[in-house]
Amino acid sequence: MIGDVGERLVLGLGGTVDFELRWDSVVVGRLAREHRIRRNELIATAPIVDERSLLVAVLAFVAAGTGAERFVESSAVIESFAAHFDVAVTLGGTGVRAGLVLDSLGIPSVQHLVSVDDNVRRLLPERVTYVSSAERDTLDPHLIVQYPVGAHVQLADGDIVSPSANRLIFANDPPNREMRLADDLPEALAGASVFLVSGFNTMQDHSLLERRLDELLGALASLPDDALVYYEDAGFYTRAFSHTVRERLLPRIDVYGMNEDELQEYLGRSIDLLDPTGVIDALAVIARLIPAPALVVHTRHWAIAVGADAVRHRAALESAVRVAATRYRLGDGFSEADAEETATMARSRRGTELVAAVERGLPGTVGVAAFALDIAEPTTIGLGDTFVGGFLAAHADVDGETR
């Protein structure tokens, strides 16, 4: 399933089948009242073991306006909760969504998958081929909750209103927890110009994680010396595992990406993303913690790269921001022409000012401001993955030339 030699981007490590929930404040409020949930219960960190605790977590994140990825005790909890809503079945995972973005731009890719079923075979475009470690078909859906700014939910003892739009991910996915590598991954890497690594955040067995990292480093021996390795961070179910992954893989990573939620989790505090002093300090701290050649932080207001190779990726940042903004305003199914139309739109004034201040304050740093989009029903699902796809598109080797 690897495809022809023209497919130069290998994206992994695991894909998902997503149940994308259509937000309905009336239904959420009804469920909250049926479960007698009160405002003082809205804690986002409690274990998710049933429909009620899942709803408590959703409400806690909505009240804060933040995004997150959380582990659920069983897929049955996800299916029970999703049954209350209109749900679209889509494909997810950073690699898969990035591959779908690349396909929309006319760029083929090879996926590394750990699970396959009829949904995957039906929804993957022809230009997106795959290698897989799966020995049989399985389905362990990820619940994706996208809520809008101003989402209003009535509880028994008061209301909550979301201060911003965001997305939540809830999952129990054994194949992604095991993260078995396909036997033909080294063959796929042997012809690659770009390799995307993501997905270790769902693993929960440390000894197994170490084994998978050993296997991945062995497979990387097949990767050409001039290939770009991009690592995208995520919400680790076990935060200490993030350190293990960084310690083992950082010497092989060219670009290390993360979003604003992950940045603030590493810092252990919230930051004002439009305050130059706070952002400069945050970027300096995270760059010391993760000294990658290029560390990319992408947020709703800007995307900034720091590190010795940051300047090399200015065009990739521009591509990434443009493509992510296109998905934000149009959702799935956008085209390269749509992305080109986005490029003509106005930028965020405050984002532009922030980027200029950071570039002055941190020599060698490069940044791109987000677009100033006022969309009634924006798409927030998969924006980080779309950003990655747009970034990699700028590094795609098409007919021997970088785009």
Side-chain angles (χ1 to χ4, degrees):
M1 299 293 295
I2 293 179
D4 63 43
V5 294
E7 296 170 336
R8 308 273 303 165
L9 285 76
V10 180
L11 314 177
L13 293 165
T16 66
V17 174
D18 291 348
F19 285 3
E20 294 188 11
L21 178 150
R22 181 178 178 83
W23 179 263
D24 188 327
S25 290
V26 174
V27 174
V28 175
R30 174 179 59 78
L31 291 173
R33 291 187 294 276
E34 287 177 1
H35 286 291
R36 304 189 181 200
I37 296 172
R38 306 183 73 82
R39 290 180 59 86
N40 63 1
E41 295 183 76
L42 302 187
I43 300 172
T45 56
I48 299 174
V49 299
D50 55 20
E51 184 178 284
R52 187 182 194 279
S53 53
L54 173 56
L55 183 57
V56 166
V58 169
L59 292 170
F61 287 118
V62 170
T66 56
E69 184 166 349
R70 293 290 313 282
F71 176 73
V72 181
E73 186 175 83
S74 75
S75 293
V77 173
I78 290 172
E79 294 174 13
S80 171
F81 186 80
H84 296 288
F85 300 87
D86 290 334
V87 172
V89 179
T90 63
L91 298 183
T94 296
V96 172
R97 286 196 185 277
L100 295 177
V101 170
L102 290 165
D103 177 74
S104 73
L105 301 176
I107 302 171
S109 63
V110 179
Q111 294 290 328
H112 178 281
L113 302 177
V114 295
S115 60
V116 178
D117 78 331
D118 286 340
N119 292 296
V120 175
R121 287 184 281 266
R122 173 173 56 88
L123 294 173
L124 274 183
E126 184 177 343
R127 269 189 294 244
V128 181
T129 56
Y130 65 86
V131 297
S132 174
S133 62
E135 298 177 343
R136 59 185 177 85
D137 282 16
T138 56
L139 174 61
D140 294 282
H142 290 215
L143 177 68
I144 314 296
V145 179
Q146 174 181 257
Y147 61 87
V149 61
H152 179 201
V153 180
Q154 294 181 325
L155 304 183
D157 61 342
D159 297 354
I160 62 171
V161 179
S162 63
S164 60
N166 220 311
R167 67 93 182 99
L168 308 168
I169 302 174
F170 300 94
N172 183 321
D173 190 335
N176 275 282
R177 285 205 305 278
E178 295 172 9
M179 198 56 72
R180 292 181 60 235
L181 300 187
D183 291 339
D184 39 3
L185 176 59
E187 178 187 351
L189 293 180
S193 60
V194 172
F195 181 36
L196 168 65
V197 179
S198 66
F200 284 122
N201 61 301
T202 62
M203 296 191 69
Q204 295 177 309
D205 181 322
H206 192 265
S207 62
L208 183 60
L209 172 63
E210 290 277 15
R211 193 187 322 158
R212 295 296 183 247
L213 290 168
D214 286 341
E215 294 166 356
L216 180 61
L217 288 168
L220 281 168
S222 300
L223 193 68
D225 291 339
D226 59 351
L228 179 83
V229 178
Y230 186 113
Y231 175 83
E232 180 68 7
D233 209 320
F236 273 75
Y237 293 175
T238 304
R239 173 47 57 182
F241 286 14
S242 175
H243 175 76
T244 300
V245 174
R246 290 200 312 277
E247 187 176 54
R248 299 293 305 281
L249 293 186
L250 198 55
R252 296 302 309 271
I253 294 170
D254 300 298
V255 180
Y256 192 115
M258 68 177 65
N259 66 22
E260 60 202 69
D261 296 321
E262 291 141 13
L263 170 65
Q264 292 172 116
E265 187 170 357
Y266 277 120
L267 296 176
R269 57 185 170 86
S270 297
I271 63 170
D272 181 347
L273 296 172
L274 292 172
D275 171 47
T277 300
V279 171
I280 289 171
D281 177 69
L283 292 174
V285 171
I286 198 68
R288 288 194 296 270
L289 177 65
I290 307 174
L295 175 66
V296 173
V297 179
H298 45 96
T299 80
R300 71 192 75 181
H301 301 296
W302 44 262
I304 293 175
V306 299
D309 290 349
V311 174
R312 172 190 173 197
H313 301 292
R314 183 184 291 277
L317 288 178
E318 176 63 42
S319 172
V321 169
R322 181 177 68 249
V323 171
T326 305
R327 178 175 176 81
Y328 180 84
R329 69 185 186 89
L330 298 177
D332 288 322
F334 64 84
S335 66
E336 186 167 12
D338 293 325
E340 291 172 355
E341 181 182 8
T342 299
T344 68
M345 298 179 177
R347 302 281 179 156
S348 161
R349 177 183 61 81
R350 295 190 67 191
T352 299
E353 293 171 351
L354 184 286
V355 167
V358 171
E359 289 182 339
R360 289 193 301 270
L362 285 178
T365 298
V366 297
V368 174
F371 289 87
L373 301 176
D374 184 10
I375 307 298
E377 295 187 12
T379 298
T380 57
I381 297 171
L383 288 183
D385 304 335
T386 303
F387 178 95
V388 173
F391 189 100
L392 297 182
H395 287 287
D397 188 347
V398 179
D399 297 328
E401 297 184 0
T402 299
R403 288 169 63 92

